[in-house]
Amino acid sequence: ERQLVESGGGLVQRGGSLRLSCVGSGFRFEDHYIYWFRQAPGKELEWFSRISGDGHTTAYDESVKGRFTLSRDNGKNTVYLQMNSLKPEDTGVYYCVTNPDSGPVSQGTQVTVSS
């Protein structure tokens, strides 16, 4: 069974940092892009970053570019999302997916940035 599990969320102050992890199982992890989405309270799900299977290619939405960095360790079936200079508008539930068209099927991890 294909599974992705996010972790690492928490409560931080404005300007703080967090590192999220996304661990995959049940599929060949290195063959898949990993996409990150987030959903702020009362708002729609939004894509903000992705990383290729080999980790060499990344893309970021303008809202996080320069503050967030993706990396991956395929030996550990894990993608890392380093989030720096966090803002209150980064608050939300963060999800990782392999198929950006189908939406998240995992529980996500809550990120809360206080002002």
Side-chain angles (χ1 to χ4, degrees):
E1 178 187 358
R2 179 176 296 200
Q3 189 175 22
L4 290 168
V5 178
E6 306 89 346
S7 63
L11 172 63
V12 295
Q13 291 186 336
R14 177 194 290 269
S17 297
L18 283 173
R19 190 176 79 157
L20 306 187
S21 297
C22 168
V23 179
S25 61
F27 62 101
R28 279 181 57 87
F29 191 75
E30 61 269 34
D31 288 349
H32 293 268
Y33 271 75
I34 298 295
Y35 301 80
W36 283 87
F37 287 76
R38 63 186 180 183
Q39 187 164 26
K43 295 190 177 181
E44 292 187 352
L45 194 67
E46 65 168 354
W47 170 85
F48 66 89
S49 66
R50 65 174 181 265
I51 185 167
S52 59
D54 61 8
H56 292 167
T57 304
T58 56
Y60 304 91
D61 182 77
E62 288 297 324
S63 62
V64 305
K65 193 175 292 184
R67 300 188 298 121
F68 290 11
T69 303
L70 279 171
S71 61
R72 66 192 294 162
D73 182 345
N74 286 334
K76 296 181 179 179
N77 281 10
T78 301
V79 165
Y80 302 102
L81 175 65
Q82 179 66 43
M83 306 189 297
N84 298 328
S85 302
L86 283 162
K87 305 175 182 180
E89 50 263 47
D90 293 318
T91 293
V93 182
Y94 284 63
Y95 304 92
C96 59
V97 304
T98 56
N99 183 351
D101 296 324
S102 64
V105 295
S106 51
Q107 289 192 337
T109 187
Q110 175 70 46
V111 172
T112 304
V113 185
S114 66
S115 56

